[in-house]
Amino acid sequence: MFAVSPSVSERRACQVLRQHRSTQRKLPRGRVDEDRLVADMIALARQYGSSGYRRIAALLRNAGWQVNDKRVERLWRREGLKVPMKQPKKGRLWLNDGSCVRLRPEHQDHVWSYDFVHCRTDDGKVFRTLNILDEFSRECLTIRVRRRLSSTDVIDALTDLFIIRGVPAFIRSDNGPEFIAVAVRDWISVVGAKAAYIEPGSPWENGYCESLNARFRDEMLNGEIFYSLREAQILIEQ
């Protein structure tokens, strides 16, 4: 509201400023559920510290809120929460021969990807996780936790998923020794899938799995102390 000079009427001032006169008489009021929504939003922002308002909005909808991204963004800015900068658009990836190497998932169980994540228990011993992801639905299909993971462990994990979900069209991975092992490559072809290896030194070609790994480390591994391998397996499974 603005101060009106005694010599200028409210009607005249609103006419000059092109404002409706009701803006000077009615204070804006939020919705009835806004306080509870803000409280839930802040709680999720504390739990998922690296997430922006879009992911928080999705989590709120999963919790039962009927809310769109624009409303969450408005409240997000009002509460002074961090809004991540807009990411630049990425072009397609091309090889020297002009062929495009980016394989985009078109439906569920079209492209799976998998990768390793390294961590340590409290005694300093290393353990590894094998993360397998459906790129279309962004669903983490399984996480295997072991001190050591070999090509046999990769085959065992994929076999269990094939029994439950069927065989995907493509399986994307990097060029690590566990993934390019002859046994893994031959087994993938036998079951009817195709291996889609990324170019060496190009982790962005496996971007879906890299994104999962980053959030998994930020939201889980960096926030927990694992005193034993069994404790790590139980907590990660939960």
Side-chain angles (χ1 to χ4, degrees), residues 13-72:
C14 289
Q15 184 180 7
V16 171
L17 295 176
R18 296 181 179 180
Q19 287 187 354
H20 196 276
R21 292 172 65 190
S22 64
T23 61
Q24 307 305 311
R25 300 176 182 179
K26 296 182 180 179
L27 295 176
R29 293 184 299 176
R31 301 184 186 181
V32 177
D33 61 350
E34 194 154 288
D35 290 340
R36 292 191 296 109
L37 175 60
V38 170
D40 288 354
M41 182 184 69
I42 293 176
L44 289 172
R46 289 197 182 105
Q47 184 177 358
Y48 302 97
S50 61
S51 300
Y53 70 88
R54 288 186 179 88
R55 184 161 186 237
I56 297 301
L59 293 172
L60 288 170
R61 287 191 288 269
N62 290 340
W65 284 97
Q66 300 293 327
V67 62
N68 58 23
D69 288 357
K70 290 184 178 180
R71 185 183 178 192
V72 174

Side-chain angles (χ1 to χ4, degrees), residues 109-215:
D109 296 327
H110 178 217
V111 182
W112 291 359
S113 59
Y114 53 121
D115 199 4
F116 284 141
V117 174
H118 298 257
C119 192
R120 294 178 182 271
T121 50
D122 189 54
D123 56 7
K125 295 182 180 180
V126 176
F127 69 87
R128 309 172 81 187
T129 70
L130 173 64
N131 300 350
I132 304 179
L133 172 77
D134 185 315
E135 293 191 357
F136 183 81
S137 63
R138 310 295 179 88
E139 177 187 0
C140 181
L141 303 178
T142 188
I143 298 180
R144 291 291 178 92
V145 183
R146 300 287 189 276
R147 289 292 184 188
R148 294 182 179 180
L149 287 165
S150 64
S151 58
T152 303
D153 296 309
V154 176
I155 293 176
D156 289 343
L158 289 173
T159 300
D160 293 343
L161 291 175
F162 289 174
I163 295 173
I164 299 173
R165 301 176 64 99
V167 180
F170 295 91
I171 301 178
R172 194 197 313 265
S173 64
D174 65 14
N175 292 269
E178 295 83 2
F179 297 149
I180 64 175
V182 176
V184 176
R185 184 173 62 246
D186 292 345
W187 178 80
I188 289 177
S189 63
V190 167
V191 297
K194 295 181 180 179
Y197 292 115
I198 68 174
E199 289 296 301
S202 304
W204 54 86
E205 293 183 27
N206 200 10
Y208 294 101
C209 209
E210 293 291 338
S211 176
L212 167 69
N213 294 346
R215 290 185 175 180

